[in-house]
Amino acid sequence: MSEHFCFHHDPIIESLLDTDFYKILMLQMIWGLYPQIHVTFSLINRTKTVRLSDDIEEKELRVQLDQARSLRFTKQEIAWLGSHTFYGHQNIFSQKFLNWLQDFQLPEYELELHNGDYRLRFYGLWTYTTMWEIPALAIINELRSRSAIKKLSRFSLDLLYARAKTKLWNKVERIKKLPDIKISDFGTRRRHSFLWQRWCIEALKKGLKHSFSGTSNLLLAMKTNLPALGTNAHELSMVIATLATTNEELLNTPYKVMKNWSHYYDGKDFRIILPDVFGTVSFLKNAPDWIAEWTGFRQDSGIPIEEGERIISWLKNKGQDPSEKLIIFSDALDIDSIETTYQHFKKRICMNFGWGTNLTNDFKNCSPQNTSKIEALSLVCKPTEVNQRPAVKLSDNPEKATGDPKEIKRYMHFFQNQ
Amino acid sequence: MSEHFCFHHDPIIESLLDTDFYKILMLQMIWGLYPQIHVTFSLINRTKTVRLSDDIEEKELRVQLDQARSLRFTKQEIAWLGSHTFYGHQNIFSQKFLNWLQDFQLPEYELELHNGDYRLRFYGLWTYTTMWEIPALAIINELRSRSAIKKLSRFSLDLLYARAKTKLWNKVERIKKLPDIKISDFGTRRRHSFLWQRWCIEALKKGLKHSFSGTSNLLLAMKTNLPALGTNAHELSMVIATLATTNEELLNTPYKVMKNWSHYYDGKDFRIILPDVFGTVSFLKNAPDWIAEWTGFRQDSGIPIEEGERIISWLKNKGQDPSEKLIIFSDALDIDSIETTYQHFKKRICMNFGWGTNLTNDFKNCSPQNTSKIEALSLVCKPTEVNQRPAVKLSDNPEKATGDPKEIKRYMHFFQNQ
């Protein structure tokens, strides 16, 4: 019955399109502007109470990572990328880029056990290592789900998924009550499993209709004929910042990234500001005026209502009408914070909720055996080194800062005093 | 996925053992003592707001009834009845009875449309017509379930059963909190479907362990290796009462039935009093002392707490210790009334809850389409005529009285004045 959500020993990643849309958008720009930069991506387990090796065998992890490395983009997938209309725009990928993509392969990985936790690193050119982020996280999360349900009886499995479906549908019914709300699936990296994510997407599609704007997952967008969603991520500024040789360059990094971005992707939906890489306060304070022309913001750290208010007043100062702007909330959303945030900002600014972990991996209290192993972890995979220099992300939430502590201090001191 | 709970066009009744245990227990006594009595059983739809023909086609109803008529007890089933230990007793069925049972077939039926409702009647010897009660009800209820889900998409079906499973498990988790409670499945006649009843039984078995005492369904008891439960029903007194030629005989009917019963089945678990056929008050008032020696009562109408208190004080008057007696509550139970009744009587008298409709057919608000067609009906199949005389049941709840209104009045007047 429900076992089909998680076949053991089956490949977890079956296509290179099983990743977030924004990775490919960023990849085209990285490939065009920074083809020679080396960037190391590292797995970071923020859930200190859980040691991955307790639940995941090194052997099965290697099998899945190797399996993902065996993948190539198929002709059909390349053709789809080349011809499909994204955000109303066709041919957003150049033929040269698509030709290069045809031979793309995930690079080697370095895996070692380090006090019970896995140290998983990807060394090499940014144009290759960047593509590991999503599949690596999806593999580890699904392996952990599989190990959590491995010992469940057929009946318990059946009940587990029955309750998870009921839980999700209760969320759908609460969201249906919010007029004109927009919800998106951003849950690929933290999903319980690929098939479960697909079920969640089907549920949102059936339940929310036009209020469901699409998925960040390219493969599922292609398979389910939904809009693929996403723009760019912190890694761009994180990496470029390490190349800065002057304070001015460092300060201007986020804006420079956006300028380059707009040369690659015009069209309003691509122009989403990610203000928190080194702190939203400093970003807004030092932002050139043209930034305010962009379509909206993605709020990915800090307290949604605080950050939203900060953004709205900044927009007003810049002479913009917030009601014509958009905020995409994408940080740790659950049904309660979605409702509260929506009610707080409705009619004042357009909103979209990019729902991740709590959408595609919410199995808390669903197992009759009541195991916590089924609960999602806070795992990320971030750039940690760029050409031997340490990379840093601050964000608006101390826990979400990544990088060498000394460097984090240095960045904080710098950006907070600009 | 979940479709397997309801295959369209599949036989609903696949074995003559797919009935309540008490029907076979009663059958042996009827066969032994009343082989020549003719009893007509009639379908009665107490849910006046629903016309069965709106949801069930006459053709498919006939197909299922004919299919049930094609069944015989298999050698293996007869062997099981003959050798199995029921309530700790072996060989409760005589070899002569089992030989007769080998050739048993459900008798003909008379089906006609009567202002949009089906008039379904079974004429013939009591020894045959009595066996139609459970399969006829199970067939109509499952046909109605099938028609309610026929138009549901694969996704909606999946969600329907996911929510029904979740709902049932929530009940299990509430019951688990009640120490030493006993729950039994009495849900065959009103079940959503055979496979769903089996799922419910599996859930109670897994969730409640020793607090789940078994099922009234013989086939499922055999298949799942659970105790088969049940003793006797109203039909015995209803039929015998029509044969009474004097007031004294009429008044003594329930006690005479019990006397005969005890000759067929000794052993404490078989000695359960069903006091409400013609009203519990008159039953207790006129009961001979030996009645108080029986193991307990089945409370099948009236308000559980009122009837329970009535029984307890009667037991005390008869010098019995209620804490050594049993009440089997079997009337319209839901999780709330189970909790309330249990809390009210715990430690004062032993209790078992024979859970029917709300256990095996609770799909209220489970369909994403929110159809009421999935909700259970109050259907019964009762003796209406005995050798041309009208049969009557009063019970402790006016709505549950069955029979010709004039006759009901006559019985009421008679029993209320004794």
Side-chain angles (χ1 to χ4, degrees):
Chain A
M1 220 147 359
S2 303
E3 290 87 321
H4 77 290
F5 284 118
C6 256
F7 292 114
H8 288 249
H9 316 307
D10 257 25
I12 291 170
I13 305 298
E14 300 197 71
S15 158
L16 288 172
L17 280 188
D18 185 9
T19 191
D20 281 338
F21 181 37
Y22 74 177
K23 296 304 293 198
I24 310 280
L25 290 172
M26 290 190 286
L27 183 60
Q28 176 167 241
M29 177 168 131
I30 295 164
W31 170 84
L33 302 179
Y34 308 99
Q36 296 313 322
I37 298 184
H38 284 70
V39 177
T40 303
F41 276 74
S42 308
L43 176 75
I44 301 158
N45 175 8
R46 291 192 196 134
T47 311
K48 293 286 160 246
T49 52
V50 171
R51 298 183 331 160
L52 293 173
S53 66
D54 295 344
D55 305 322
I56 301 170
E57 275 181 32
E58 184 171 341
K59 202 177 93 288
E60 48 180 9
L61 178 51
R62 288 185 183 276
V63 167
Q64 293 294 341
L65 293 167
D66 294 338
Q67 199 278 331
R69 291 200 65 229
S70 73
L71 296 169
R72 303 290 183 276
F73 288 98
T74 67
K75 287 208 161 9
Q76 183 216 5
E77 291 170 338
I78 296 285
W80 182 76
L81 286 174
S83 60
H84 189 67
T85 306
F86 298 94
Y87 290 129
H89 297 257
Q90 247 193 335
N91 313 317
I92 61 171
F93 299 111
S94 74
Q95 199 47 58
K96 276 181 81 175
F97 172 65
L98 292 172
N99 295 343
W100 174 79
L101 215 52
Q102 256 170 355
D103 309 314
F104 180 89
Q105 170 182 19
L106 287 168
E108 289 188 353
Y109 58 89
E110 189 185 279
L111 175 64
E112 59 197 33
L113 253 174
H114 186 74
N115 352 320
D117 234 326
Y118 289 116
R119 176 177 282 162
L120 179 58
R121 299 208 170 137
F122 308 100
Y123 299 101
L125 289 173
W126 192 10
T127 47
Y128 289 88
T129 54
T130 182
M131 289 292 283
W132 258 121
E133 179 186 10
I134 308 302
L137 293 171
I139 284 170
I140 291 168
N141 284 309
E142 185 159 348
L143 283 177
R144 188 151 181 279
S145 309
R146 292 182 183 186
S147 102
I149 65 174
K150 204 162 46 204
K151 290 186 190 63
L152 295 186
S153 68
R154 190 186 167 82
F155 175 82
S156 298
L157 262 181
D158 183 19
L159 196 61
L160 175 80
Y161 286 107
R163 295 166 105 192
K165 288 170 182 175
T166 302
K167 207 172 181 185
L168 178 54
W169 195 256
N170 293 342
K171 295 172 183 172
V172 165
E173 294 199 321
R174 282 170 68 173
I175 292 167
K176 271 161 111 173
K177 299 200 179 86
L178 311 176
D180 311 320
I181 192 171
K182 295 287 177 198
I183 299 280
S184 315
D185 159 43
F186 280 13
T188 297
R189 69 193 62 194
R190 299 265 179 85
R191 69 195 181 197
H192 167 82
S193 73
F194 173 77
L195 289 160
W196 178 246
Q197 182 183 16
R198 201 172 68 183
W199 194 93
C200 295
I201 286 176
E202 196 182 353
L204 294 186
K205 208 175 162 182
K206 296 257 169 48
L208 299 182
K209 310 223 163 34
H210 66 282
S211 286
F212 179 46
S213 32
T215 172
S216 63
N217 185 296
L218 271 173
L219 183 65
L220 288 168
M222 185 176 79
K223 281 177 181 271
T224 62
N225 196 27
L226 279 167
L229 305 174
T231 55
N232 59 53
H234 301 91
E235 73 178 274
L236 295 179
S237 294
M238 288 173 73
V239 170
I240 309 311
T242 65
L243 308 173
T245 52
T246 67
N247 282 347
E248 199 194 350
E249 275 188 76
L250 180 56
L251 185 64
N252 289 324
T253 300
Y255 319 117
K256 177 183 168 195
V257 165
M258 290 167 69
K259 191 55 93 192
N260 289 328
W261 183 260
S262 59
H263 294 143
Y264 271 83
Y265 307 105
D266 54 11
K268 53 182 257 306
D269 296 304
F270 292 103
R271 306 225 167 149
I272 300 299
I273 304 159
L274 186 61
D276 69 330
V277 188
F278 306 118
T280 299
V281 174
S282 129
F283 176 91
L284 294 176
K285 198 168 94 204
N286 303 293
D289 289 347
W290 59 267
I291 299 280
E293 306 292 334
W294 277 36
T295 309
F297 289 77
R298 180 155 73 91
Q299 190 269 320
D300 199 48
S301 65
I303 295 148
I305 289 178
E306 271 179 25
E307 299 306 322
E309 290 296 348
R310 193 193 312 285
I311 286 163
I312 286 175
S313 46
W314 181 83
L315 285 167
K316 287 180 178 159
N317 292 340
K318 294 286 177 180
Q320 300 286 335
D321 174 0
S323 71
E324 287 170 3
K325 297 290 187 175
L326 170 71
I327 300 182
I328 299 167
F329 295 97
S330 64
D331 181 31
L333 296 173
D334 61 29
I335 183 65
D336 297 323
S337 61
I338 290 173
E339 282 176 345
T340 327
T341 311
Y342 168 86
Q343 296 298 358
H344 182 88
F345 288 114
K346 69 175 178 213
K347 297 195 169 66
R348 296 174 57 200
I349 193 161
C350 309
M351 291 176 269
N352 195 319
F353 295 86
W355 208 354
T357 316
N358 182 262
L359 170 64
T360 59
N361 199 358
D362 180 14
F363 283 73
K364 200 168 188 303
N365 302 327
C366 288
S367 162
Q369 271 65 30
N370 239 316
T371 162
S372 69
K373 290 190 181 299
I374 200 84
E375 292 174 33
L377 300 179
S378 181
L379 279 180
V380 295
C381 182
K382 292 282 173 197
T384 45
E385 245 183 45
V386 180
N387 298 346
Q388 275 80 52
R389 292 196 210 86
V392 169
K393 169 192 170 190
L394 297 181
S395 91
D396 297 319
N397 171 350
E399 282 84 68
K400 289 184 103 182
T402 64
D404 167 75
K406 263 201 233 67
E407 280 295 291
I408 292 179
K409 255 210 194 67
R410 183 171 77 79
Y411 274 71
M412 275 187 162
H413 181 270
F414 175 77
F415 282 97
Q416 283 166 7
N417 295 297
Q418 299 299 321
Chain B
M1 220 148 1
S2 301
E3 290 88 323
H4 77 290
F5 285 118
C6 255
F7 292 113
H8 288 250
H9 317 305
D10 257 28
I12 291 170
I13 305 298
E14 300 196 72
S15 158
L16 287 173
L17 279 189
D18 186 8
T19 191
D20 281 337
F21 181 36
Y22 76 178
K23 297 302 295 197
I24 310 278
L25 289 173
M26 288 190 287
L27 184 59
Q28 177 168 241
M29 181 169 125
I30 295 164
W31 170 83
L33 301 180
Y34 308 99
Q36 296 312 323
I37 298 183
H38 285 69
V39 176
T40 303
F41 276 73
S42 307
L43 176 74
I44 301 158
N45 176 7
R46 290 189 197 140
T47 311
K48 293 281 161 256
T49 53
V50 172
R51 299 183 330 160
L52 293 172
S53 67
D54 295 345
D55 305 322
I56 301 170
E57 277 180 31
E58 182 171 342
K59 202 177 95 290
E60 47 180 11
L61 178 50
R62 288 186 182 276
V63 167
Q64 293 294 342
L65 293 168
D66 294 338
Q67 198 277 331
R69 290 200 65 228
S70 73
L71 296 169
R72 302 290 183 278
F73 287 98
T74 67
K75 288 210 157 11
Q76 184 217 4
E77 291 170 339
I78 296 285
W80 182 75
L81 285 174
S83 60
H84 189 67
T85 305
F86 297 94
Y87 290 129
H89 296 258
Q90 249 192 332
N91 314 316
I92 61 170
F93 299 111
S94 75
Q95 199 47 59
K96 277 181 81 174
F97 173 65
L98 292 172
N99 294 343
W100 174 80
L101 215 52
Q102 255 170 359
D103 308 314
F104 180 89
Q105 170 181 19
L106 288 168
E108 289 185 353
Y109 58 89
E110 189 185 279
L111 174 65
E112 61 199 31
L113 252 174
H114 186 74
N115 343 318
D117 234 328
Y118 289 116
R119 175 177 283 163
L120 180 57
R121 298 204 170 146
F122 309 99
Y123 298 101
L125 288 173
W126 192 11
T127 48
Y128 289 89
T129 55
T130 182
M131 289 293 281
W132 259 121
E133 179 186 9
I134 307 302
L137 293 171
I139 285 170
I140 292 168
N141 283 310
E142 185 158 349
L143 283 176
R144 188 153 181 277
S145 309
R146 290 182 183 186
S147 105
I149 65 174
K150 204 160 47 205
K151 290 186 190 64
L152 295 186
S153 68
R154 189 184 168 81
F155 175 82
S156 297
L157 261 181
D158 183 20
L159 197 60
L160 174 79
Y161 286 107
R163 294 166 104 191
K165 286 170 182 176
T166 302
K167 206 172 182 186
L168 178 54
W169 196 255
N170 293 343
K171 295 172 183 172
V172 166
E173 294 199 322
R174 283 170 68 175
I175 292 167
K176 269 161 116 172
K177 299 201 180 83
L178 311 175
D180 312 320
I181 191 171
K182 295 287 177 199
I183 299 280
S184 315
D185 159 43
F186 281 13
T188 297
R189 70 194 62 194
R190 300 265 180 84
R191 68 193 180 197
H192 167 80
S193 74
F194 173 77
L195 288 160
W196 179 247
Q197 182 184 18
R198 200 171 67 181
W199 195 91
C200 296
I201 285 175
E202 196 181 356
L204 295 186
K205 206 174 165 184
K206 294 258 170 45
L208 299 182
K209 313 225 161 36
H210 66 282
S211 287
F212 179 46
S213 36
T215 172
S216 63
N217 186 294
L218 271 173
L219 182 65
L220 289 168
M222 186 176 77
K223 280 176 182 271
T224 62
N225 195 27
L226 279 167
L229 305 175
T231 56
N232 60 53
H234 301 92
E235 72 176 275
L236 294 179
S237 294
M238 287 173 73
V239 171
I240 308 311
T242 65
L243 308 175
T245 51
T246 67
N247 282 347
E248 200 194 349
E249 273 188 78
L250 181 55
L251 186 65
N252 288 326
T253 299
Y255 319 116
K256 176 182 168 198
V257 165
M258 290 166 70
K259 187 63 86 188
N260 288 330
W261 183 260
S262 61
H263 294 145
Y264 271 82
Y265 306 104
D266 54 12
K268 55 184 252 309
D269 295 304
F270 292 103
R271 306 222 166 154
I272 300 299
I273 305 158
L274 186 61
D276 69 331
V277 188
F278 306 119
T280 299
V281 174
S282 127
F283 176 91
L284 294 177
K285 198 168 93 202
N286 301 294
D289 289 346
W290 59 267
I291 299 279
E293 306 291 333
W294 277 36
T295 309
F297 289 77
R298 180 155 73 92
Q299 189 269 320
D300 199 48
S301 65
I303 295 148
I305 288 177
E306 272 180 25
E307 299 305 322
E309 290 296 349
R310 192 192 312 285
I311 286 164
I312 286 175
S313 47
W314 181 83
L315 284 167
K316 287 180 179 161
N317 292 340
K318 294 285 178 180
Q320 300 285 336
D321 173 0
S323 71
E324 287 171 3
K325 297 291 188 174
L326 170 71
I327 300 183
I328 299 168
F329 295 97
S330 64
D331 181 32
L333 296 173
D334 61 28
I335 182 64
D336 296 324
S337 63
I338 289 173
E339 282 176 344
T340 328
T341 310
Y342 169 86
Q343 296 299 355
H344 181 88
F345 289 114
K346 70 174 180 216
K347 299 200 168 64
R348 295 174 56 202
I349 192 160
C350 309
M351 292 176 269
N352 195 319
F353 294 86
W355 206 355
T357 317
N358 181 263
L359 170 64
T360 59
N361 198 359
D362 180 14
F363 283 72
K364 200 167 190 301
N365 302 326
C366 288
S367 162
Q369 272 64 34
N370 240 315
T371 163
S372 70
K373 290 191 180 300
I374 200 84
E375 292 174 32
L377 299 180
S378 180
L379 279 180
V380 294
C381 183
K382 292 283 175 197
T384 46
E385 242 182 46
V386 181
N387 298 346
Q388 275 81 49
R389 294 195 208 87
V392 168
K393 170 192 170 190
L394 296 181
S395 91
D396 297 319
N397 172 348
E399 282 83 68
K400 290 184 101 181
T402 66
D404 168 76
K406 264 203 236 64
E407 280 296 291
I408 293 179
K409 257 213 194 68
R410 182 170 77 81
Y411 273 71
M412 275 188 161
H413 181 269
F414 176 77
F415 282 98
Q416 284 166 6
N417 294 299
Q418 299 300 320

